[in-house]
Amino acid sequence: MNKMKRTKAFALLLSLACIGAWAGEYDKYYEALPVEVARVTLPAIPANEVSVADFGGTGDGVTLNTEAFHKAIDRLAELGGGKVTVPQGVWLTGPIDLKDNIELHVERGAMIYFTPDKRQYLGHSDREERVLPCIYAVKRTNIAITGEGTIDGNGSQWRPVKRNKQSDVEWKQYLFMGGTVTDDGTLWYPWQLKNKYPDIVDSPKSYENTRNDLMRLYGCTNILIKGVTVQNAPRFHVHPCNSRNVIIDGITVRCPWNAQNGDGIDFSDVNVGLIVNNTVDVGDDGICMKSSVAKKDTPASGCEDIVVQDNTVYHAHGGFVLGSNTTSGIRRMVVRHNRFSGTDTGLRFKSGLGRGGKTERLFISDILMSDIAKSAIVFQCDYSDHDADGTPKRSKVLTEKQMKRVPDFQDIHISNVICRGCRTGIKAGGLQGMQCVHDIEIENATIVYTKAAQQIDKATTDIKMTNVRLVADKKR
């Protein structure tokens, strides 16, 4: 056995020994579950370690460190994997491409800050219309992003901004950056900014579909994201897609409340997942499950075997959300002991024709809510996406195949919910002539509302409520 092979073997033994010592820390989340789900396991990261500073990196907030990150990851890949440490400082960089068996560890006092030079993000993405994500991995195994530092996507360089969602002070700050305002004054686009970096598209609106996620891990197996603060994404913040065995533990996700499409934690077609101990305060959905058309060349399609527990969501369009895509199904999921404070809606189930699918064995319990702007619980089956200017993202004319993708929210069990303050307690509507919302159980809930106890279309929905108290707040 040559020296290189001995090094790899020794590192693997060390990593496995280390992981074996703390792999059991997640067992408690699988106690007394109402449905049996497959358990997560930790990724195996070898004990090799380098610092990005060892490869010419400088955390001065000025030096571009894209090449230093690339060299550090490549060096560890040659050794079979390991940890890239980011020490204290502000580390300006372009996209970071994670490889097999790599941990990106952001130390306390360190910030990874993504460059406003959009040319750095040009390249092959798994979604061709978009630029490269800030941090990404494609069909990799054993990926970890850990630490107590901050990862900043510099999203204001990418996001369109609606005037009616900005204060006068905020609006002036965007105008100070330069950019382009539509003729009617309702939208600002980050096109022709004053930062002197050239645009990579030929029109303001083109950035809408070009911008990508801060973290996008596609077709991967064994992912751990733990401890870090993730903020200011160009689009979604933490977005594993078509991946298997994913743990999101103890991270903070934050962006302005009015950030366009600023989702917090999105699972798109994830099999076997755990989302625990996180704090989310974002501009769109807080913790969200999505499921698209099945992809045969990835480890997962549909969302299944997932536990969501002990999280807090502040501002978001929804605290816990399903949809809008549910095509390949969402099944065997437990959502319990979560808190939503100041979200637009609490529990949000949304889909539409062309993107619907079936839910099975979903158990949601012990949810505490306060100051919910709209509905505590809502089922919507006519949802559609729009660009910032109101243009529909998808054609209203559906193919025969798309027409078969009907929302089917069923076998959902919601219990032990307390909501102090919402406009509407429970809101639900299906589609005429279709079974879209049925076999739903809500029990042991107390909801204090200010406008309406419920808005439920009984002709298109079937919701059984037991011991549900809907109490009017007469002081408001």
Side-chain angles (χ1 to χ4, degrees):
M1 184 182 291
N2 61 35
K3 184 176 180 180
M4 180 66 76
K5 289 183 178 179
R6 288 199 302 272
T7 300
K8 288 183 178 180
F10 183 64
L12 181 60
L13 286 172
L14 280 177
S15 69
L16 291 175
C18 179
I19 286 169
W22 59 291
E25 71 176 279
Y26 293 116
D27 288 349
K28 61 184 179 181
Y29 297 106
Y30 295 92
E31 295 175 359
L33 293 182
V35 61
E36 186 174 351
V37 302
R39 298 191 179 197
V40 294
T41 57
L42 287 162
I45 306 295
N48 306 307
E49 183 174 347
V50 300
S51 169
V52 68
D54 298 336
F55 296 85
T58 303
D60 59 4
V62 177
T63 304
L64 188 65
N65 293 287
T66 311
E67 189 64 20
F69 278 101
H70 177 75
K71 288 179 178 179
I73 291 169
D74 276 359
R75 176 56 179 157
L76 287 173
E78 292 173 359
L79 299 173
K83 180 194 294 185
V84 177
T85 297
V86 183
Q88 180 173 330
V90 178
W91 300 84
L92 185 69
T93 184
I96 298 173
D97 180 7
L98 299 179
K99 297 186 176 181
D100 291 332
N101 311 316
I102 295 294
E103 176 181 354
L104 180 66
H105 183 77
V106 189
E107 292 187 340
R108 179 184 293 186
M111 175 182 288
I112 298 175
Y113 191 87
F114 285 91
T115 177
D117 184 355
K118 297 183 176 73
R119 295 171 298 181
Q120 294 283 321
Y121 304 86
L122 295 173
H124 177 71
S125 172
D126 63 280
R127 298 185 70 180
E128 293 182 1
E129 73 275 18
R130 300 194 186 278
V131 299
L132 292 172
C134 298
I135 297 175
Y136 66 100
V138 179
K139 298 183 179 180
R140 299 295 187 180
T141 301
N142 297 326
I143 296 294
I145 301 170
T146 65
E148 298 178 72
T150 299
I151 302 171
D152 193 310
N154 196 8
S156 62
Q157 305 287 327
W158 294 92
R159 296 189 299 258
V161 173
K162 295 178 178 179
R163 177 64 181 94
N164 63 3
K165 286 190 172 184
Q166 311 296 317
S167 67
D168 290 344
V169 172
E170 290 173 309
W171 187 249
K172 287 178 181 178
Q173 289 173 341
Y174 283 105
L175 296 181
F176 181 77
M177 292 171 59
T180 300
V181 178
T182 55
D183 292 340
D184 62 4
T186 61
L187 275 175
W188 176 91
Y189 287 104
W191 194 67
Q192 296 183 343
L193 296 172
K194 292 179 182 177
N195 62 21
K196 298 182 180 179
Y197 292 112
D199 288 299
I200 58 173
V201 295
D202 57 6
S203 68
K205 188 176 176 179
S206 296
Y207 276 130
E208 181 100 28
N209 294 322
T210 301
R211 62 195 170 106
N212 213 329
D213 307 328
L214 201 165
M215 294 181 186
R216 183 178 173 88
L217 309 174
Y218 174 79
C220 296
T221 302
N222 305 341
I223 297 169
L224 171 67
I225 303 175
K226 184 173 183 178
V228 292
T229 294
V230 183
Q231 64 186 28
N232 293 328
R235 188 169 167 266
F236 299 167
H237 286 78
V238 178
H239 195 192
C241 308
N242 298 96
S243 294
R244 184 176 184 85
N245 192 39
V246 181
I247 303 169
I248 314 291
D249 179 11
I251 71 172
T252 298
V253 186
R254 58 188 296 272
C255 70
W257 73 271
N258 45 18
Q260 186 75 13
N261 306 119
D263 286 27
I265 300 171
D266 282 12
F267 273 15
S268 292
D269 295 283
V270 170
N271 290 179
V272 190
L274 188 64
I275 301 175
V276 292
N277 309 313
N278 304 292
T279 300
V280 179
D281 190 345
V282 292
D284 208 309
D285 292 330
I287 299 172
C288 184
M289 303 291 126
K290 303 177 187 293
S291 171
S292 299
V293 178
K295 295 180 176 62
K296 295 181 180 180
D297 61 340
T298 64
S301 286
C303 280
E304 62 182 43
D305 295 318
I306 295 170
V307 175
V308 180
Q309 182 172 329
D310 297 335
N311 303 285
T312 300
V313 181
Y314 293 109
H315 186 271
H317 286 184
F320 176 76
V321 182
L322 261 62
S324 59
N325 291 336
T326 57
T327 309
S328 292
I330 298 175
R331 49 199 166 263
R332 295 190 304 281
M333 184 177 300
V334 177
V335 181
R336 61 184 182 177
H337 301 292
N338 298 286
R339 298 158 299 279
F340 311 144
S341 181
T343 59
D344 288 351
T345 59
L347 300 172
R348 186 185 190 192
F349 306 85
K350 60 175 181 175
S351 192
L353 277 178
R355 60 174 66 182
K358 188 176 184 180
T359 62
E360 302 173 71
R361 307 293 286 162
L362 270 55
F363 293 85
I364 301 171
S365 66
D366 300 287
I367 305 296
L368 303 179
M369 309 185 208
S370 65
D371 299 319
I372 305 302
K374 298 179 182 177
S375 303
I377 302 172
V378 59
F379 291 86
Q380 180 183 4
C381 298
D382 59 355
Y383 182 85
S384 60
D385 289 323
H386 294 82
D387 288 333
D389 64 0
T391 304
K393 286 183 179 293
R394 294 172 175 82
S395 170
K396 291 184 179 180
V397 180
L398 302 178
T399 65
E400 184 178 348
K401 182 179 291 187
Q402 288 173 326
M403 285 295 293
K404 295 179 181 178
R405 298 171 189 159
V406 178
D408 190 2
F409 293 123
Q410 60 99 47
D411 200 2
I412 299 174
H413 310 270
I414 301 171
S415 63
N416 302 331
V417 173
I418 299 175
C419 175
R420 175 67 200 195
C422 62
R423 185 185 305 169
T424 302
I426 302 171
K427 185 175 181 178
L431 298 174
Q432 198 66 42
M434 300 180 183
Q435 275 200 317
C436 295
V437 182
H438 63 102
D439 297 297
I440 309 294
E441 296 180 347
I442 304 174
E443 61 180 351
N444 300 330
T446 299
I447 300 173
V448 179
Y449 66 89
T450 60
K451 185 177 180 180
Q454 55 183 273
Q455 294 178 350
I456 299 175
D457 183 359
K458 294 184 178 180
T460 60
T461 64
D462 176 17
I463 298 176
K464 179 182 178 182
M465 291 190 282
T466 305
N467 192 29
V468 173
R469 292 196 303 159
L470 300 168
V471 181
D473 185 351
K474 297 180 180 179
K475 293 182 181 181
R476 295 193 183 186

